[in-house]
Amino acid sequence: MVDDPRREWVRRAGWVALAVAVVGTATVVPPLVLPDGRGHPPAATASTPPPGGAAPAPVPTTPTLTAPAPTTPVPALPRTSAPSPGVSSPRPASASPAVASPAFAAVSLHAADAANLRNGARVIECPTCVGGSRVGYIGGPNTLAIRVTGVTAAGERTMTVTYETAETRTLRVAVNDGPTQSLTLSGAGDWRIPATVTLRVHLPAGTSWIRFFNDEGPAPDVNQIQLR
């Protein structure tokens, strides 16, 4: 039986197409690089320079380490040695002593003296009182001011007031226009028996007035004062 010419042509065309495919595959797939006999890949070969004559990229170099410059040592501070036992350190010179103010001379002043000011208050005869009299009717608008002179230096002084009263009364005391001290006094309970009370007052230098009053009611009678 004779083959059909068309089938023969188709069979030949298939063999030709298969041969072309095999040749193309061999051309595209590069040959495998086999490792050397020790199992390591072959050494890298020098790369082909890029087209156009461009220079290859520079190979980075390892920077050189420079040792730091030696620092200048800081000199140690000198130590202060402790003083030896038995040797005393020099003491600073002491300041000159302050000059003492003139001493205040103690003084006794009678309330009935003519140099004093009595605004509404009156002198009362009293044989049992110091000096034989006292100043009474102090209180409300009535006041007594005892004059103090010859004070050489200002300062705090102790003042003792001799007074008389038969009942508890309030006596207010002030030097010039200074602060007022309020005293509640009961005395000896008899107008003929003197009693005393002591307080601190500030006296300025020169002349001053010590005022006795009670603007809220009657005050005890004042006999005399002592300053020291």
Side-chain angles (χ1 to χ4, degrees), residues 10-173:
V10 171
R11 184 171 56 250
R12 290 180 180 181
W15 284 107
V16 173
L18 178 61
V20 171
V22 170
V23 174
T25 303
T27 303
V28 174
V29 179
L32 298 177
V33 179
L34 297 179
D36 59 7
R38 292 172 295 178
H40 298 289
T45 59
S47 60
T48 306
V59 179
T61 59
T62 304
T64 303
L65 299 180
T66 304
T71 58
T72 304
V74 179
L77 297 177
R79 296 183 178 180
T80 56
S81 58
S84 302
V87 179
S88 58
S89 301
R91 296 182 179 180
S94 57
S96 301
V99 179
S101 58
F104 177 79
V107 60
S108 296
L109 302 172
H110 199 278
D113 288 347
N116 300 332
L117 297 177
R118 293 178 294 273
N119 182 21
R122 292 182 291 176
V123 176
I124 300 174
E125 299 295 330
C126 176
T128 58
C129 296
V130 178
S133 63
R134 65 177 186 261
V135 174
Y137 301 96
I138 302 172
N142 302 341
T143 61
L144 166 68
I146 297 179
R147 182 170 177 257
V148 182
T149 61
V151 179
T152 56
E156 294 288 325
R157 309 300 175 190
T158 299
M159 181 173 69
T160 301
V161 181
T162 302
Y163 68 97
E164 290 82 23
T165 185
E167 58 191 27
T168 301
R169 293 188 176 185
T170 299
L171 179 65
R172 291 187 167 91
V173 182

